Amino acid sequence: MNRKWVGSFLIIVLLVFGGWMFFNSPFSTSKQALPAEVKTDGTSILDIGNQKAEERPVKTFSLTAQEKEWRINADKQVEAWTYNGTVPGKPLRVTEGDFVKVHLKNELSVPVTIHWHGMILPNQMDGVPGLTQDAVQPGESFTYEFIANDAGTYWYHSHQHSSKQVDKGLYGSLIIEEKDPAYQKEQIFMLDEWAVDQEKQSLTNMGGMMMGSMSGDGEADTKQMYDTLTVNGKSGNAIEPLQMEAGETARLRFINAGYQQHRLVFPEGSMEVIAADGEKVVTDGTSSNMLEIAPGERIDVAFTRQGEETEVIGEDPTTEYDRGMKIPVVSEKEADSFSYDQLSISSAASQETGTSNGSEELLFKETPESDVTYHMDLSMGMDMGEGMSFQINNKVFPDTPLIPVSEGDVVKVRITNSGRLNHPMHLHGHRFQVASKDGQAYENPIVKDLIHVKPGEEYTVYFKADNKGEWLFHCHDNNHADRGMVTIVDYQGVYSPFKLDGEHSNQP
Ligand code: C2O
Ligand code: CU
């Protein structure tokens, strides 16, 4: 055999193995395999839980999935996939207690769905292809119906091939307003990242490459993948300024629709977190000027404009180079005269993010006894040919071990991250109470549907199995989910009549 060839082969083997070793301590194996054995006993998820409007006010919307050239700013344009031609899709606003009907029409050349992120709704309305419905084929339609029960900030996005479809713009916000809103003024900010100046890089080749350039904040992959940051679909000086007068207070709803965590810095003393993942948090009067928001997460803050001078809310310059995420805060008369380039973000005065005050309403007053216990270990592997894989208990979906529950169970999930990247883990159809971090019980637990688990961290969460169905629990960096980091909360006595792949190309 040719010596040179053997030499380069060895180097490649070393690089790949090195990359793999770098991300994982324990040895693990993985293989993408056939869809999991699906049980077919009991009741179909189509026969449980559907809701009727009855006396409720009905709010009806139409969303059409369509292609659109989307202008991110004066010199950046992308081929986007959109709901109704804009990125984000139009905000859907309803009032708590309303009955919501959304007609989805698919005018794209690929199948799509809509998932209602954070909503507690009937399983068959959850929008997960292959699990709760068949993907909606080109030219076809589907109607989603549910009761908008809890006021708060939610969002919607396609759950078909999400790593691509959400990336290309198939998302928008869903706001459930309180009957009696606490703030007169409010604004939604959906954050995202795009690969505009470069091809989006694939995780297939990143393993070896990332060894040299690991930034250590658990975001190395996304930082390499994307070059442009957007707020409501716009970047840099195309971002719509927030118009407020000095002393005025508004509710700002932040939704991270991207796959990278963002750390937004506010003027000092101007911001207080009031809700996380749609749940009100206890406000203790202390204020941080830094807001960390994980992929998929929603955080609402009360923001007060401090003075007469133009202000800015923007990505922390100490952890991020400038990729265009700055929101100008201007008064009405400054609106046309301020200069975007002169907005300078102060560095964070505090590393505290203000999201750990605990929730106003808890699911459990005290740490409960659990009926089901599941240890979810998150890790990373390398597959020859496939590149990186992202594993739950050393397996990639659909081979990951399910979380089997019976209705009424209290479920305890201990989540550990033994890899080197961040994993925002999101549970569909339920909320969980985060009881402890790294073995330390929280004095004030927080109720959420997404927990950002960073390398080396361990969280224990509890939830009540009170919404029958088949529900995903997965990493909301959908590039990771796409490569395996997904499992299912599987209720006994129900089954999904849908299949992964197959003629509908269902790809959750
Ligand atoms: Cu935003 Cu599976 O969810
Ligand atoms: Cu992840």
Side-chain angles (χ1 to χ4, degrees):
M1 217 192 285
N2 178 324
R3 276 247 170 108
K4 244 193 194 155
W5 190 89
V6 173
S8 32
F9 179 76
L10 275 178
I11 288 172
I12 289 170
V13 168
L14 272 172
L15 269 176
V16 169
F17 185 69
W20 177 83
M21 283 295 287
F22 188 76
F23 289 110
N24 278 292
S25 19
F27 272 75
S28 52
T29 52
S30 69
K31 190 136 238 136
Q32 189 74 42
L34 294 167
E37 243 353 87
V38 181
K39 62 180 160 55
T40 52
D41 57 314
T43 316
S44 160
I45 61 152
L46 297 181
D47 296 326
I48 50 165
N50 56 0
Q51 296 170 328
K52 299 235 156 47
E54 287 163 356
E55 303 295 292
R56 298 164 182 281
V58 179
K59 299 274 167 74
T60 308
F61 303 95
S62 295
L63 292 177
T64 302
Q66 56 193 209
E67 216 174 302
K68 175 90 189 188
E69 302 257 310
W70 182 251
R71 196 156 268 298
I72 284 179
N73 62 25
D75 25 63
K76 298 190 185 203
Q77 183 159 313
V78 291
E79 302 281 331
W81 290 351
T82 68
Y83 292 114
N84 291 3
T86 58
V87 183
K90 70 174 169 197
L92 308 184
R93 278 190 182 273
V94 302
T95 306
E96 58 185 330
D98 285 351
F99 189 77
V100 183
K101 266 189 193 201
V102 182
H103 302 297
L104 164 66
K105 185 160 191 293
N106 185 8
E107 288 179 358
L108 287 169
S109 57
V110 293
V112 300
T113 67
I114 304 179
H115 166 61
W116 306 95
H117 182 116
M119 287 297 295
I120 294 176
L121 39 56
N123 197 213
Q124 55 185 297
M125 294 294 138
D126 200 40
V128 180
L131 197 62
T132 69
Q133 69 172 105
D134 280 323
V136 181
Q137 301 301 308
E140 290 185 0
S141 300
F142 188 91
T143 299
Y144 294 92
E145 294 184 332
F146 51 86
I147 299 170
N149 267 325
D150 304 306
T153 302
Y154 299 83
W155 62 297
Y156 60 90
H157 61 78
S158 180
H159 220 295
Q160 165 78 3
H161 196 182
S162 315
S163 62
K164 178 162 187 193
Q165 296 198 354
V166 183
D167 241 18
K168 283 182 76 77
L170 283 170
Y171 62 78
S173 57
L174 167 65
I175 307 301
I176 305 180
E177 288 173 354
E178 293 158 324
K179 288 213 167 100
D180 191 6
Y183 297 85
Q184 287 304 305
K185 187 176 184 122
E186 65 151 83
Q187 189 77 48
I188 307 161
F189 298 99
M190 292 195 86
L191 314 179
D192 197 6
E193 313 87 35
W194 296 77
V196 186
D197 303 328
Q198 61 183 45
E199 274 293 305
K200 178 182 169 186
Q201 292 177 42
S202 156
L203 279 167
T204 305
N205 314 315
M206 261 192 198
M209 223 171 60
M210 279 165 61
M211 290 175 63
S213 64
M214 199 66 166
S215 63
D217 63 355
E219 300 288 340
D221 53 341
T222 38
K223 283 189 172 173
Q224 280 192 52
M225 230 175 257
Y226 305 103
D227 50 62
T228 302
L229 306 183
T230 56
V231 178
N232 295 335
K234 300 284 178 183
S235 187
N237 58 12
I239 294 174
E240 177 108 18
L242 172 61
Q243 254 191 42
M244 287 176 72
E245 304 307 317
E248 198 178 5
T249 299
R251 173 186 198 136
L252 311 185
R253 303 175 186 264
F254 290 92
I255 302 168
N256 189 345
Y259 303 152
Q260 190 192 311
Q261 105 185 348
H262 294 289
R263 293 165 74 101
L264 298 178
V265 179
F266 290 69
E268 245 177 280
S270 66
M271 175 272 280
E272 191 177 15
V273 173
I274 54 175
D277 288 351
E279 290 281 333
K280 284 187 191 155
V281 300
V282 180
T283 50
D284 61 1
T286 60
S287 143
S288 158
N289 73 328
M290 209 268 289
L291 181 69
E292 185 177 287
I293 174 163
E297 198 172 33
R298 301 100 68 197
I299 299 181
D300 295 12
V301 307
F303 170 74
T304 305
R305 184 164 173 197
Q306 300 298 289
E308 300 288 340
E309 261 163 65
T310 305
E311 293 176 351
V312 59
I313 300 168
E315 184 107 61
D316 186 354
T318 60
T319 56
E320 173 73 62
Y321 64 98
D322 184 4
R323 290 187 284 173
M325 188 175 277
K326 279 193 229 174
I327 305 161
V329 184
V330 301
S331 65
E332 203 185 326
K333 65 174 195 297
E334 295 162 310
D336 313 300
S337 59
F338 77 96
S339 148
Y340 183 86
D341 297 318
Q342 265 154 38
L343 302 172
S344 85
I345 306 162
S346 52
S347 49
S350 153
Q351 291 302 299
E352 280 297 314
T353 64
T355 53
S356 54
N357 294 340
S359 296
E360 247 179 55
E361 267 177 57
L362 296 178
L363 300 174
F364 307 97
K365 287 224 163 64
E366 276 156 44
T367 304
E369 294 289 321
S370 57
D371 303 298
V372 175
T373 309
Y374 184 92
H375 175 211
M376 179 185 283
D377 182 59
L378 310 173
S379 67
M380 228 165 125
M382 289 295 281
D383 265 333
M384 278 298 192
E386 303 265 352
M388 285 186 185
S389 64
F390 291 84
Q391 308 164 334
I392 293 179
N393 299 347
N394 295 329
K395 297 276 201 252
V396 298
F397 185 76
D399 291 333
T400 44
L402 306 176
I403 307 177
V405 304
S406 301
E407 202 171 17
D409 280 351
V410 173
V411 187
K412 172 183 179 179
V413 183
R414 183 165 64 91
I415 313 174
T416 53
N417 184 346
S418 52
R420 298 223 178 182
L421 293 173
N422 296 339
H423 300 302
M425 299 305 294
H426 169 56
L427 171 61
H428 288 209
H430 302 73
R431 281 178 199 152
F432 49 66
Q433 181 161 320
V434 187
S436 71
K437 177 182 182 183
D438 300 333
Q440 232 3 74
Y442 280 114
E443 213 171 295
N444 303 305
I446 186 158
V447 177
K448 298 187 89 257
D449 52 56
L450 184 148
I451 180 79
H452 201 201
V453 189
K454 296 182 178 177
E457 287 183 346
E458 169 179 309
Y459 287 92
T460 307
V461 306
Y462 290 85
F463 68 92
K464 183 100 194 226
D466 56 4
N467 193 8
K468 259 191 180 179
E470 301 289 331
W471 301 99
L472 289 190
F473 200 152
H474 68 93
C475 180
H476 218 285
D477 178 334
N478 286 325
N479 293 319
H480 299 175
D482 191 43
R483 286 165 179 266
M485 198 167 273
V486 178
T487 187
I488 295 171
V489 174
D490 173 34
Y491 278 71
Q492 304 310 297
V494 296
Y495 71 92
S496 161
F498 304 105
K499 300 258 176 311
L500 297 179
D501 303 317
E503 50 173 329
H504 304 280
S505 347
N506 291 327
Q507 206 186 333

